[in-house]
Amino acid sequence: MLKAVNGFFGKKKTNPSFKDYYLDWFNQLKNNHLPSLRRSIHDSSIAQLSTQVDIVRHHFHSYYDALDLAASDDVTQLLYPDWRNPLEKPFLWLGDLHPYLFTNLLRSFFDDGDDEDGSEENDTVFEKLAGDVLFSEVGEVFNRPWHIVMAWKNPSDVLMGRIEQIECGLRLMVPALGLRARKAQGGLVETVAGDWARRREVAGEVVEKALGSEMEELAAVFVDANRLRRSVLAEIIGATSVYQAALFLEGLAQFLVGFRDPDLVSDFLTCKTPLTLTKIS
């Protein structure tokens, strides 16, 4: 709706589409940073691995910084990104990855092999997206140093407590941001619909005024959502060891790469099994 209204009143983008930036950022992640991180995991000293972890972490943080800047120009191209493929869109919340994905990915490391429901379907989907980085194949385990293989075995009580604190914060912040976004959109609909019926001759001015107010609030919500995503990533990296952080970032990077795997996207588009999605506020 917002994109349609934006176009109707001739709002022009002053910056290039964020799609162009994202594709360049994604290619750097896929072709440069992820391979370098994997080489460091296999062969480097802890100091070299720590440096590579910082490089990948900075790459993700630079992405959210760029999102903040783009939101000040046209938040609609970010909240409703038509350049995202159908496999990516179910994982989006307020324009980008849901922060729960970060904590769920983190927990998958120490939940691996401990599933009580015996479900293999979810494991298969995750392995396709994450590229088997969680050592689902025996050969991968023995190809990596022992301290890497054992990095997520028996996580400390301190780490588990910190993860629970992060998740508790998300349970408070995610619904609050969702409510702000819904109120902003609801305010636009109420203002435009009411004034359009009563004063059609100035309806355009009313819509533009309401649109400007809503866009300002939605941009603020979007920036706060990015701040939350950025904060969760920083807290996870800060709470984990170098080896754990390296494996987490490898999994996150490969997860994003998996979204754009042509075979996986094709399988998703041709899937005839009905999907049941649980709404996350």
Side-chain angles (χ1 to χ4, degrees):
M1 179 195 70
L2 294 178
K3 293 175 72 175
V5 175
N6 234 10
F8 181 79
F9 287 100
K11 181 178 176 63
K12 298 180 180 179
K13 301 173 185 177
T14 58
N15 295 328
S17 169
F18 192 79
K19 174 183 178 180
D20 299 330
Y21 169 85
Y22 180 78
L23 290 178
D24 180 64
W25 180 91
F26 173 83
N27 287 331
Q28 289 185 44
L29 179 69
K30 177 183 178 181
N31 300 324
N32 299 327
H33 297 309
L34 180 55
S36 295
L37 179 61
R38 282 179 168 159
R39 286 192 296 270
S40 297
I41 289 173
H42 278 273
D43 304 321
S44 297
S45 67
I46 188 171
Q48 292 172 317
L49 180 58
S50 178
T51 298
Q52 194 60 46
V53 165
D54 285 341
I55 290 173
V56 178
R57 177 194 58 78
H58 180 267
H59 191 62
F60 276 98
H61 279 235
S62 69
Y63 168 68
Y64 288 116
D65 289 341
L67 276 177
D68 289 347
L69 290 175
S72 64
D73 177 52
D74 181 11
V75 72
T76 61
Q77 68 166 323
L78 307 176
L79 286 172
Y80 310 99
D82 53 12
W83 43 272
R84 294 279 195 176
N85 70 45
L87 187 57
E88 293 174 295
K89 290 181 179 179
F91 293 89
L92 301 182
W93 171 78
L94 291 178
D96 199 71
L97 292 178
H98 201 296
Y100 283 159
L101 188 148
F102 302 146
T103 53
N104 288 345
L105 174 62
L106 181 65
R107 281 195 173 274
S108 71
F109 284 94
F110 46 78
D111 289 342
D112 189 40
D114 296 330
D115 295 332
E116 297 180 356
D117 59 4
S119 173
E120 296 182 357
E121 182 177 355
N122 290 336
D123 292 340
T124 300
V125 172
F126 182 82
E127 288 170 7
K128 284 183 178 180
L129 281 171
D132 298 319
V133 297
L134 301 188
F135 314 125
S136 60
E137 296 182 359
V138 174
E140 179 67 12
V141 173
F142 290 102
N143 281 335
R144 291 194 160 181
W146 183 245
H147 56 270
I148 295 294
V149 175
M150 299 300 294
W152 282 104
K153 297 297 182 181
N154 301 318
S156 69
D157 291 339
V158 173
L159 175 59
M160 296 299 295
R162 189 70 194 97
I163 293 171
E164 290 174 0
Q165 290 177 353
I166 294 171
E167 291 172 332
C168 181
L170 285 177
R171 287 192 291 270
L172 294 174
M173 293 299 298
V174 167
L177 288 170
L179 179 61
R180 283 177 58 192
R182 290 193 297 273
K183 282 185 175 181
Q185 290 182 308
L188 173 69
V189 172
E190 182 179 354
T191 300
V192 171
D195 285 309
W196 195 291
R198 291 193 299 270
R199 299 180 296 170
R200 292 188 181 182
E201 67 279 3
V202 294
E205 296 178 7
V206 170
V207 171
E208 287 194 87
K209 181 178 179 181
L211 181 62
S213 175
E214 183 202 22
M215 287 302 176
E216 183 177 345
E217 172 61 8
L218 280 179
V221 172
F222 184 84
V223 169
D224 286 343
N226 284 336
R227 184 178 295 116
L228 179 61
R229 285 182 273 254
R230 191 187 294 111
S231 173
V232 170
L233 280 177
E235 290 182 34
I236 289 174
I237 301 304
T240 52
S241 70
V242 173
Y243 301 126
Q244 291 168 336
L247 292 175
F248 170 78
L249 288 174
E250 181 193 22
L252 179 58
Q254 186 56 54
F255 200 85
L256 293 177
V257 171
F259 279 140
R260 291 183 172 253
D261 179 85
D263 293 334
L264 190 56
V265 173
S266 177
D267 290 344
F268 181 82
L269 292 175
T270 57
C271 179
K272 299 184 183 299
T273 303
L275 298 179
T276 301
L277 299 178
T278 301
K279 181 178 179 183
I280 302 177
S281 302

